[in-house]
Amino acid sequence: MQKGKIFVVGFGPGDREHITKRAVDALQQSNHIMGYKTYVDLIRHFVTAQTIVSTGMTEEVSRAQEAVKQAEAGNIVAVISSGDAGVYGMAGLVYEVLIEKGWTEATGIEVEVVPGISAINSCASLLGAPVMHDSCTISLSDHLTPWTVIEKRIEAAAMADFVIAFYNPKSGRRTRQIVEAQRILLKYRSPETPVGLVKSAYRDSQNIVLTNLAEMLEHDIGMLTTVIVGNSSTFFYDNKIITPRGYQRKYTLGDDKQIWKPHQRLKKEAEPWALDQETGEAKSGFEKIEAIKAAQAVQRQVEENVEKKTSLEMARLALACITKEPVKGDFLVQQAIESIFEFAVSPGVANKFITPKQMQILAEVVGENGTLEYTPDHRFHVKIPTEHPEAIVEQLRESGLYVLPMGDVFNLKACDFCYGEKAESIPYAEEIMDALGGMKLPKELHVGFNGCGMACYRAVFDDIGIVYRKKKFDLFIGAKPVGRTAHAAQPVAEGLEPDALIPLLTQIIEEYKEHAHPNERLFKYFKRVKKIAHFTYQDMSCKIKVEEAPCGD
Ligand code: SAH
């Protein structure tokens, strides 16, 4: 007899486009299809003459038992679930029935769980990007789970600032759960927290509502709705609900657009989720009313209970009166948006000496929470959480330190000019830095500037090498400074007149900036296009045949 098999198939939200190929194959291979009536109707067009057993919603256990029985009799059976079969679906039940019968993978019938797009994903896609960060799903059905457990999970998720997708939010009979869920959420989240209600995602009767935590119950919520509640940083934008990827922003120096400048951050339009962090004041009329109510409740509690309390409890009550927080310890979760300011510091273009005073200022600026990393290109890479990048730059520059942008920008590293003994060309290095330093480019670009033919700071191993020799310049382009195929730059010009240097360099940089692919280093660009300015590419990579090493014992 043919050995039977059970496919537990998640068919996605319910349209033809969002079901997987494997799910369709499984349905077509099966000679028994079993599922809840509404679901069977949604996939009927994928199957032809098989036996279709549709059952009622609550007959899940008997459906699983029947499926196992049929598979044991040698049939190929598909048990279907909407979304993903492993998310409040049939997969667990099928395994439970099998386990009860002593099933093992080695001896029993074959089982394949076919994954599908769950409601949290299909509904999120219709709302914009509300999930994005740490999230959870909570089913509000207390059919198989005690309400006390569900309540605890809502509380924990609310407290931990998870984005939450509520499945089974409400049915004709079960109407209290979503009201209770809202009440618990409001203890920790602002009433303005974005909420999306998606009914029948990707089905004919699809309906999408954007609302907030305070007003969500004023809209229709039913058996086919998924309720997605944002976290403390979720915001609305142009009829979409967006949760940012994290709670950190980066400031960088030298960007064309500094989206997160502090004065802009404080504007409502720029970061609606981060409002009023400065004042800590209640944000809305609703919240103010709530705060007043809470304070009044506290007052009443004090008046009624003062004589029955321990001193610690009385102190807590008194404190609560001042802070106007409800005594239960309820509080709004507001994960602060932290801004990280990232930049590089060095003592100067040619100067390699950093003074103790400068070190002290740098240490103060970095403080307890910043990081200071010494990099291979002779500078410190600094990261500081701050709201005031301008003040930091000013303080460091006042102490004579060079503050430079990080990332895909023009960098210049000069030698020490033999501690200033060969200082003749320093002004040229400074002029280059003034003209091009910090310019945004497709990829980080390092220019090595060396003050004599020794080139001991290895200018010829940089993206662009400039070597001052006999009052003129030699120019090198396109080293590959790292990796197993590292090679020096191609010498392209010798004895350039000083006046010609900056115009030529500018031309090279502008060509590269305009025509290189994002992330394409200069050597790769030169190799691809074969020409920069009037210079033709020559292969500088080493093509020596390497013997394979004999194997040791
Ligand atoms: N296995 C399913 C969930 C079944 S529980 C999945 O992974 O998606 C049933 C709940 O799922 C419904 O109450 C609703 O909250 C949600 N749901 C399922 N399909 C949906 C759809 N197309 N649109 C919106 N919500 C849906």
Side-chain angles (χ1 to χ4, degrees), residues 287-298:
E287 231 182 327
K288 281 188 184 133
I289 294 164
E290 289 295 293
I292 293 165
K293 275 199 217 150
Q296 285 167 344
V298 168

Side-chain angles (χ1 to χ4, degrees), residues 336-355:
I337 303 276
E338 197 176 60
S339 298
I340 306 288
F341 179 36
E342 207 177 338
F343 57 94
V345 175
S346 82
V349 173
N351 180 25
K352 300 289 178 274
F353 290 94
I354 192 160
T355 66

Side-chain angles (χ1 to χ4, degrees), residues 13 82-84 87 118-119 123 167-168 198 200-201 203 223-226:
S82 72
D84 183 86
V87 180
S118 187
C123 297
Y167 285 59
N168 300 306
V198 183
S200 300
R203 297 185 198 165
M223 286 255 286
L224 287 170
T225 311
T226 296

